[in-house]
Amino acid sequence: MTMDKMIIERDVPIVMEDGLVLKADVFRPKDETPSPVIMTLGVYGKGVPYRDAFAPQWDVLMATKPEVLQDSTKKLMVWELVDPEIWVAWGYVCVRVDSRGSGRSPGKLDIFSKREAKDYYNAIEWAAAQPWSSGKVGLNGISYYAITQWLVASLQPPHLAAMIPWEGASDAYRDMMRHGGIQNDGFFKWWYPKQVIAVQHGNPRGWQDPWLGERSSGPASLSEIELERNRTDPVSDILSRPLDDEWYRERSADYSKVTVPFLSAANWGGFGIHPRGNFEAFTQAASKQKWLDCHPGRHEEWFYLDHGMALQKRFLDHFLKGIDNGWDKEPPVLLHLRRPFSNEFEQRKETSWPLQNTKWKKLYLDCVDGFAVPGMSWDPPCKWSKMSFAALGRPLTFLSPPLEKDIEVTGPVAAKLFGSSTTTDMDLFLTLQAFHNDREIVFEGAADANTPLSQGWLRASHRKLDPSKTLPYRPYHSHDEIQPLQPGKVYELDVEIWPTNILLPKGSQIALQVSGKDFERMMPPREAGNPWEMRNPTICTHSHLQDRPKDTFGGESTIFTGGETPSFLLLPFIEN
């Protein structure tokens, strides 16, 4: 649908109960037939063009997926949102709302806050009452626009009829802010200035809105001091809150109150921000009508590819338009299975998560005294052994024997490690890898081109488990008290490793890397002439010196295996 075939209203005011006015852009069918609404609310600026502000991602998408959105000129697209040209042609109204304090909406910017969720509630109810609305509102967006869906759904707006949170966190502490208790400062110190403050309301350097002919950050020009006063500081907020308190709970879904029908779309390779929240919400939310999609690929591309578009349309057509298209009979879990060194992804539908035909298998770690490379075995080693490593130095990598047959690994992963430290704490960074013919099996993930199979984290002083929520395959840490280590004492440590999928051919080897710092691999030099270097391939890093002081987290760590310390990796093998 071309722009002359739709009605476009920009900077439409939505008045909040406290008098503040949010600004929205509305795209609707020209025949003015009351239609269901697809709404988003977030901080990236409703008037910031995708192709300008996110040019690298746009260029890659257009170059690698030239077939994407062929029925659209793509001139109305912004980052992580639906394309109005497509959806208005399908009979929907698209509403984009700038969050309080962002873009064209004034106020204090406070990401994922209770105030932001309440504003979203108000905007949903406002849209439902408009003459161009059928009264049914659906939500559909990626990342930030997925996270806010879980938060507003917890408030149960009466006219919220369905939602598609695509690659979004639902537990602020565990999914994105503190992995296993360790601060994820790398993401927030990069993302917040680049993608949020850049579009803060009143920022005089905000992107130009080409559709309004004005700044996307509003007409006001605030000073640096005024801008800073008008926003919170998530890096400092997270640093000052090592335990899971009310501040994190306010920014997390209340699964018991998420009752709306939803399609939770998870990226297999979104470690650090996505996809844990999509899996947890699917298994924990009270909704009686819920589905889980598991896909590979870069962060945003599957949202716009034909498969993703058809999936979204069919789901929303059913719940927002009442179309009997068989969606209600669709199995609740849709998988896209990954094979090594292939860009073809087999689809399979399942009835539950974890999968019903899961056989949980333990790979026991074995330090193998006298060998440089520790191993793993299917039987617990009788002999007790140990191996130490510098927490900030080279990691240990435990390698399994070659597989005797083809194996599918699909589901949550966990590890039980027996470990000690020469200091009063230690951070564990676990990376699940696989190799075939000495070549690592990697996939293009949400944010990097060489994503390992999975990752997990745990701060040893946060080892306390919540027995009411812990499952054998998904340990759940309470994060409600700090229990320092006694140097040299051995502790039992259960580590959650995020869900994964891989179809491993015979002869492959499974590996578990155990480190005291972020995962790194040899990467090509950034500039010609420079040597290859070790780099973390993701933006979710954990290196804040106040959160990880070297005198505490830079000691020597020891892993114990066999005998009375049977450290193991728990894997979900699928029997067909």
Side-chain angles (χ1 to χ4, degrees):
M1 173 180 283
T2 57
M3 286 177 277
D4 62 351
K5 293 184 179 180
M6 71 175 82
I7 296 172
I8 302 176
E9 298 175 288
R10 298 194 180 275
D11 269 4
V12 177
I14 307 177
V15 182
M16 299 295 103
E17 86 286 352
D18 63 355
L20 186 133
V21 179
L22 300 184
K23 295 297 181 70
D25 288 351
V26 179
F27 308 82
R28 52 194 177 90
K30 206 160 192 175
D31 63 9
E32 302 200 54
T33 301
S35 304
V37 176
I38 297 176
M39 177 177 279
T40 50
L41 180 145
V43 297
Y44 296 156
K46 62 184 178 58
V48 179
Y50 183 170
R51 68 176 72 215
D52 294 339
F54 296 87
Q57 293 91 336
W58 174 269
D59 291 343
V60 170
L61 181 63
M62 294 301 109
T64 59
K65 310 293 180 184
E67 74 279 8
V68 73
L69 303 173
Q70 288 190 355
D71 294 331
S72 171
T73 67
K74 302 183 253 310
K75 292 181 179 179
L76 296 175
M77 291 181 65
V78 300
W79 176 246
E80 297 185 336
L81 300 185
V82 300
D83 181 355
E85 288 189 54
I86 298 289
W87 286 90
V88 172
W90 286 346
Y92 290 90
V93 175
C94 296
V95 180
R96 300 170 174 168
V97 186
D98 279 340
S99 288
R100 180 179 298 234
S102 71
R104 306 281 293 180
S105 298
K108 184 169 184 178
L109 177 60
D110 189 4
I111 61 172
F112 311 129
S113 64
K114 186 181 296 183
R115 178 68 259 180
E116 185 179 55
K118 178 60 175 173
D119 288 346
Y120 208 168
Y121 178 109
N122 293 339
I124 290 169
E125 295 306 299
W126 169 86
Q130 300 309 301
W132 38 255
S133 170
S134 69
K136 288 192 174 184
V137 179
L139 312 178
N140 188 17
I142 311 172
S143 191
Y144 198 102
Y145 301 101
I147 296 169
T148 53
Q149 290 181 51
W150 297 119
L151 301 180
V152 73
S154 300
L155 301 181
Q156 300 182 338
H159 290 90
L160 177 58
M163 66 181 193
I164 305 178
W166 196 280
E167 300 190 25
S170 59
D171 183 323
Y173 190 99
R174 293 162 181 80
D175 296 350
M176 60 177 174
M177 294 183 178
R178 281 192 168 271
H179 299 135
I182 311 167
Q183 183 180 4
N184 176 17
D185 65 299
F187 175 79
F188 285 92
K189 71 183 181 185
W190 168 85
W191 166 78
Y192 195 59
K194 183 177 177 61
Q195 292 185 217
V196 182
I197 295 177
V199 200
Q200 183 182 355
H201 183 76
N203 188 338
R205 295 174 299 282
W207 288 90
Q208 185 76 1
D209 182 331
W211 306 298
L212 272 175
E214 299 179 23
R215 272 205 320 266
S216 62
S217 52
S221 292
L222 303 182
S223 68
E224 287 298 323
I225 293 176
E226 291 172 313
L227 288 169
E228 188 172 348
R229 188 183 301 132
N230 252 8
R231 65 177 183 252
T232 58
D233 180 354
V235 175
S236 295
D237 286 337
I238 298 167
L239 178 64
S240 66
R241 294 175 170 88
L243 299 177
D244 186 12
D245 60 12
E246 185 58 32
W247 187 85
Y248 293 106
R249 292 303 92 212
E250 176 183 310
R251 289 160 174 76
S252 302
D254 182 341
Y255 298 133
S256 69
K257 294 181 179 179
V258 177
T259 57
V260 65
F262 66 78
L263 168 62
S264 179
N267 187 319
W268 289 126
F271 310 124
I273 297 293
H274 319 301
R276 181 186 186 276
N278 288 99
F279 288 104
E280 286 295 298
F282 174 74
T283 57
Q284 304 301 320
S287 300
K288 301 300 183 184
Q289 296 173 297
K290 54 185 178 179
W291 287 263
L292 175 67
D293 169 77
C294 308
H295 58 265
R298 293 192 307 110
H299 174 47
E300 80 286 4
E301 68 178 13
W302 276 69
F303 185 77
Y304 298 112
L305 295 178
D306 288 347
H307 169 82
M309 296 290 290
L311 194 70
Q312 297 163 51
K313 182 178 187 299
R314 189 167 166 233
F315 174 83
L316 293 175
D317 278 354
H318 179 78
F319 286 105
L320 299 188
K321 293 186 175 182
I323 296 176
D324 184 8
N325 56 17
W327 181 271
D328 55 326
K329 299 178 180 63
E330 194 70 32
V333 178
L334 174 62
L335 305 177
H336 294 83
L337 306 177
R338 304 186 298 180
R339 294 185 183 276
F341 320 120
S342 172
N343 289 321
E344 299 296 324
F345 304 101
E346 173 189 341
Q347 293 185 40
R348 192 175 73 215
K349 298 177 182 180
E350 297 281 352
T351 58
S352 66
W353 183 266
L355 308 188
Q356 283 190 338
N357 54 340
T358 303
K359 183 176 182 180
W360 300 99
K361 291 284 290 181
K362 292 179 180 179
L363 260 176
Y364 290 90
L365 279 59
D366 191 349
C367 288
V368 195
D369 286 344
F371 289 85
V373 179
M376 289 193 285
S377 61
W378 301 110
D379 298 311
C382 297
K383 183 180 179 183
W384 174 87
S385 60
K386 64 179 181 177
M387 187 170 285
S388 300
F389 62 98
L392 302 181
R394 293 177 61 86
L396 298 180
T397 298
F398 295 83
L399 191 65
S400 79
L403 296 175
E404 296 180 354
K405 61 180 181 178
D406 295 352
I407 289 293
E408 176 184 337
V409 178
T410 301
V413 182
K416 182 183 289 291
L417 301 181
F418 290 84
S420 70
S421 173
T422 56
T423 68
T424 56
D425 211 343
M426 67 174 173
D427 285 344
L428 290 174
F429 295 76
L430 304 189
T431 302
L432 179 66
Q433 298 172 278
F435 297 85
H436 188 71
N437 294 332
D438 296 325
R439 180 182 175 189
E440 185 183 358
I441 297 170
V442 296
F443 293 90
E444 184 167 44
D448 66 276
N450 297 286
T451 303
L453 296 188
S454 190
Q455 292 181 287
W457 305 263
L458 179 66
R459 176 157 289 172
S461 61
H462 287 237
R463 62 190 177 277
K464 178 183 174 183
L465 295 172
D466 181 340
S468 68
K469 296 181 179 180
T470 290
L471 299 166
Y473 51 81
R474 200 271 281 124
Y476 190 94
H477 298 89
S478 59
H479 298 295
D480 60 1
E481 67 173 307
I482 295 173
Q483 300 177 327
L485 306 185
Q486 180 180 326
K489 183 178 178 179
V490 180
Y491 293 89
E492 185 174 341
L493 307 168
D494 294 280
V495 186
E496 176 186 4
I497 300 174
W498 289 13
T500 190
N501 158 261
I502 183 65
L503 302 175
L504 291 172
K506 178 181 177 179
S508 299
Q509 291 179 277
I510 298 169
L512 180 68
Q513 185 187 104
V514 181
S515 181
K517 62 179 182 178
D518 284 306
F519 173 72
E520 295 177 320
R521 60 158 54 91
M522 289 293 293
M523 303 289 286
R526 291 187 174 95
E527 299 176 4
N530 288 341
W532 283 50
E533 55 187 289
M534 294 295 292
R535 292 209 306 270
N536 187 314
T538 77
I539 55 177
C540 295
T541 56
H542 312 73
S543 57
H544 200 297
L545 292 179
Q546 287 179 257
D547 185 65
R548 283 173 43 82
K550 289 186 177 180
D551 58 351
T552 301
F553 297 98
E556 184 176 80
S557 301
T558 302
I559 301 299
F560 299 83
T561 64
E564 296 181 355
T565 55
S567 298
F568 63 81
L569 174 68
L570 183 66
L571 292 167
F573 281 19
I574 306 304
E575 294 192 336
N576 298 314

